[in-house]
Amino acid sequence: QAFFCLLLCIPWGSSCPPSCQCTERAGAKAVLCSSRHLEEIPKDIPRDVVFLKLDANSITRIPSNAFRHLSHLEEIDLSRNAIEKIDRAAFKGVAAGLRSLDLSGNRIRSIPKEALAALNAKLRLANNPWHCECALQEVLWEARLDPDSVQDITCHTAPREEYVGKPLLQVLDAGVNFCSVRQRTMDVAMFVTMFGWFAMVIAYVVCYVRHNREDACRHRDRLRALPSAQAHPE
């Protein structure tokens, strides 16, 4: 009876994932899952965790609401994984209280701006194969980046070859604005579309006028032929 009572008295939030180690750091719970060959974020992380280390694993994606039940979470270390995709609602529920988020050393090419909305955490985004474009520029404008890792955010791919391999901050400091490039591209596309519609309208009008002219000529020829056709029987 004492054993079952002990089991019932243990809160579910105090359990620890079997592949992790749970300890306390300065009175706050820490869950350490480093180098555990994890391919996804564990589902049974204690609700009262404050520090969460998931670095050096094989995690490829951060799904929506991955940490929503962890209301006390302040630090997440997801560095040195294989993360390629981050869902828009990946950090929903923890954005306000999160102080540090490490996503360095992954395979991230882009990140939705919505994923970092209301996020006040200090971000580490270094050593990812970033595609330098307007979306990434907007993320950096709004994010609170760790100053020690900013120079390691480099352009793996970019609209122009001259930007590849350079730190994104250096490219932006040189006056490059990827968003204005996208705006110009959209303007050109809109102009081409409008020109195409205009050309179609002109072609339709020309065909319509030509068709009416041909009908008028045939009708006139039929009218000219009527008298001769009536005179022949006489």
Side-chain angles (χ1 to χ4, degrees):
Q1 289 180 350
F3 175 75
F4 285 110
C5 180
L6 180 62
L7 288 179
L8 292 174
C9 291
I10 297 175
W12 288 105
S14 63
S15 62
C16 190
S19 56
C20 304
Q21 178 186 359
C22 296
T23 62
E24 286 204 7
R25 184 192 303 175
K29 178 159 288 186
V31 177
L32 311 178
C33 309
S34 305
S35 304
R36 301 289 180 167
H37 307 290
L38 299 175
E39 296 182 357
E40 61 181 18
I41 298 169
K43 301 288 193 300
D44 49 355
I45 299 172
R47 293 178 178 272
D48 54 349
V49 62
V50 176
F51 306 104
L52 178 60
K53 287 184 66 65
L54 293 163
D55 55 304
N57 283 291
S58 302
I59 298 170
T60 58
R61 178 191 173 199
I62 307 178
S64 297
N65 303 310
F67 310 100
R68 189 171 187 176
H69 63 292
L70 309 177
S71 57
H72 301 281
L73 200 55
E74 294 182 6
E75 295 185 14
I76 306 176
D77 186 354
L78 283 158
S79 63
R80 295 181 297 148
N81 274 277
I83 298 170
E84 296 180 353
K85 180 175 176 56
I86 299 176
D87 289 359
R88 286 179 167 80
F91 304 105
K92 188 174 182 180
V94 297
L98 207 60
R99 295 186 308 171
S100 175
L101 175 60
D102 195 342
L103 294 170
S104 59
N106 281 281
R107 301 175 184 172
I108 307 169
R109 287 177 49 81
S110 63
I111 184 169
K113 185 169 60 174
E114 297 84 357
L116 304 180
L119 195 68
N120 295 317
K122 186 180 290 185
L123 278 173
R124 286 180 173 269
L125 301 175
N127 302 316
N128 281 286
W130 292 108
H131 176 59
C132 291
E133 58 175 351
C134 181
L136 180 59
Q137 180 176 315
E138 289 178 341
V139 166
L140 297 188
W141 275 342
E142 300 181 11
R144 181 170 165 251
L145 299 176
D146 184 343
D148 296 333
S149 65
V150 170
Q151 289 297 330
D152 293 323
I153 303 175
T154 58
C155 298
H156 184 73
T157 56
R160 296 177 61 174
E161 189 67 27
E162 61 189 275
Y163 305 143
V164 175
K166 292 184 177 180
L168 178 57
L169 188 63
Q170 177 184 331
V171 175
L172 297 178
D173 284 344
V176 176
N177 189 334
F178 293 106
C179 294
S180 65
V181 171
R182 185 177 71 173
Q183 185 61 45
R184 286 198 300 269
T185 303
M186 291 175 63
D187 290 343
V188 171
M190 186 175 296
F191 174 78
V192 171
T193 302
M194 291 178 65
F195 180 80
W197 279 106
F198 182 73
M200 289 176 61
V201 170
I202 294 297
Y204 174 79
V205 171
V206 170
C207 291
Y208 179 79
V209 170
R210 182 179 298 175
H211 179 72
N212 285 351
R213 183 180 298 174
E214 291 175 353
D215 285 347
C217 290
R218 285 195 294 269
H219 183 66
R220 184 180 58 194
D221 292 342
R222 283 198 297 269
L223 291 177
R224 288 178 177 176
L226 285 177
S228 59
Q230 293 175 353
H232 183 70
E234 293 177 359

